[in-house]
Amino acid sequence: MDRAALSDALLHQLYEVLASPLGSIGRGLSELLTPFVAHSALVLLTADVSGGRLQWWGDPTIHQGMSGLAVDRLRSTSGSAEGIRRAFLHIDDAQRPVLQLVARNGALLLLVDPGPVSRPRTVTDLWNIVSLHVQERADEAAPEYLRHARSTAGVRLLALNEIRDEYSATLEGVLGPLRAGRLSDASAREAALNRSVAGLDRLRAMSGQARTLAQETVSVSFARLKDELRSAARYWHGQLEFIGPSCGDHPVPDEVARGARAVVQRVILSRMECSEVSRMRVQWECDGTQLLIDLRDDGAGGAADAEALLEIARQRVDALRGQVSFTETSGWGAELSVSLPLDPPPVRPSTAAIAGLRPREMQVAKLLTAGSRNRTIAHELGISENTVKFHISRILRTLNANSRAEAIAALLSEQRA
């Protein structure tokens, strides 16, 4: 195959990967990269619109023996520098070689049991394109997704606390009699004591790692925003300034970081289209409980600007239970201020249940709360009335509701919360 035909085939295969559902990207990407580097499995750590960030493809034993925490530890030790490096991943009680690729936006790709890399630059470029596509799909997600992700985060933290408390109590119960010396065999007592202490330490470490798995520091999130905006502003005529957070080590949940970057990018890109705007400033700060965003420009300001900017930001900010305001500043033009809470909303029974609804059930629930009848819901979603009845039955069971009215009340209560 000549060079032109090879390039055409590669571009077509890349197109097929980008056009595929996000859940199928692992398979297509593996096939795309195989000619350049052989591997037994592929692991991706990204953010996507479904909320699931860890994907894999290939040898099923890799997935079965792989820990998401181990993958995240590998990412945290690699830093955010773009490039390829070789490392080892703990899989099923063994260290397996991996080729570790960090994209420009910080997404991680692991190729397990890699062979030689024939064209490193091509492999890096392909991963940058795919990871950027996944990120853009996440950024373009409907605001309802961000709200759902926030509720899910609250459920996840509640479950994590319950697991931690249960196992901590169990281990502490074992440690009590061991420390009291009630076992007669000193060597057995010492061995059990050491094992219990080690188990408790491991549990605490895993709890901390699980909490950071879906987070990034505010400085890392801001650095990614800068890289993305500088690329977009390459041909803009004006000046773009950045003021980073003074306390950059505070963790920010992924959905908050993603939502914040999406809001800022949309506002900045819209203002770049205004000929009177020649200077913009982006400032982030974190006070420990909120992510604070300030966007300023030297445009004309006024009611039209206020309405346009608020319209761009409001839906995503509301989805994250944040606040947004607009003011005019002397020496500048428009100033948009956003505050996003870092902690997920308190988990109530309805919140936990709603977070467990499937995507199609969420669509049915939305139409249900709008007062739509089964026939209307079926027509809107292109499904049969029997299928609608099936989804509504499961929604009732999930929400522990005895009637359609009770389910609607629970859903509306959650929307107002």
Side-chain angles (χ1 to χ4, degrees), residues 51-71:
R53 305 188 312 147
L54 191 63
Q55 297 185 44
W56 55 86
W57 176 257
D59 183 354
T61 62
I62 301 296
H63 165 224
Q64 294 165 5
M66 181 185 65
S67 162
L69 293 177
V71 174

Side-chain angles (χ1 to χ4, degrees), residues 281-344:
R281 189 177 79 181
V282 181
Q283 182 174 5
W284 277 24
E285 191 55 82
C286 181
D287 64 3
T289 61
Q290 298 181 101
L291 178 61
L292 307 173
I293 301 169
D294 187 76
L295 304 172
R296 299 187 183 188
D297 66 54
D298 61 352
D305 272 350
E307 187 58 33
L309 293 177
L310 289 172
E311 182 64 26
I312 291 171
R314 186 177 287 119
Q315 280 190 317
R316 278 177 167 73
V317 173
D318 287 349
L320 293 169
R321 301 175 183 265
Q323 301 291 328
V324 58
S325 62
F326 177 90
T327 57
E328 295 181 52
T329 306
S330 177
W332 289 83
E335 179 182 1
L336 192 72
S337 298
V338 176
S339 61
L340 301 175
L342 300 182
D343 291 332

Side-chain angles (χ1 to χ4, degrees), residues 62-245:
I62 301 296
H63 165 224
Q64 294 165 5
M66 181 185 65
S67 162
L69 293 177
V71 174
D72 191 66
R73 280 197 298 270
L74 195 59
R75 181 185 68 166
S76 64
T77 57
S78 68
S80 58
E82 175 191 8
I84 301 179
R85 58 186 58 86
R86 292 187 179 269
F88 290 91
L89 180 65
H90 191 77
I91 300 174
D92 202 15
D93 296 327
Q95 294 290 336
R96 298 281 287 271
V98 295
L99 192 69
Q100 183 177 343
L101 291 89
V102 179
R104 193 166 297 175
N105 64 357
L108 176 67
L109 171 66
L110 299 177
L111 301 178
V112 184
D113 302 324
V117 184
S118 60
R119 293 167 60 180
R121 187 63 197 176
T122 299
V123 172
T124 302
D125 287 343
L126 290 173
W127 174 229
N128 273 323
I129 292 170
V130 172
S131 63
L132 180 61
H133 168 74
V134 173
Q135 177 191 324
E136 287 177 345
R137 291 275 291 275
D139 290 345
E140 292 295 337
E144 287 83 358
Y145 158 69
L146 293 173
R147 179 174 188 158
H148 180 68
R150 285 271 73 194
S151 295
T152 303
V155 176
R156 185 173 61 243
L157 289 177
L158 179 62
L160 177 63
N161 286 334
E162 290 175 350
I163 293 171
R164 182 199 62 197
D165 292 344
E166 179 181 347
Y167 280 91
S168 292
T170 301
L171 287 171
E172 291 288 0
V174 173
L175 283 171
L178 289 174
R179 286 170 173 158
R182 295 173 187 168
L183 291 181
S184 57
D185 191 325
S187 59
R189 184 171 65 250
E190 182 179 1
L193 182 62
N194 292 338
R195 183 168 296 183
S196 299
V197 170
L200 190 59
D201 289 341
R202 178 172 170 76
L203 174 64
R204 288 167 178 162
M206 290 180 66
S207 297
Q209 291 162 8
R211 285 180 176 275
T212 61
L213 182 59
Q215 296 176 330
E216 61 186 18
T217 64
V218 64
S219 59
V220 168
S221 184
F222 188 72
R224 290 177 180 168
L225 175 70
K226 287 170 61 177
D227 289 342
E228 293 159 7
L229 284 179
R230 281 172 174 162
S231 177
R234 185 177 304 170
Y235 302 108
W236 183 53
H237 65 277
Q239 178 183 4
L240 187 58
E241 302 175 9
F242 296 94
I243 301 179

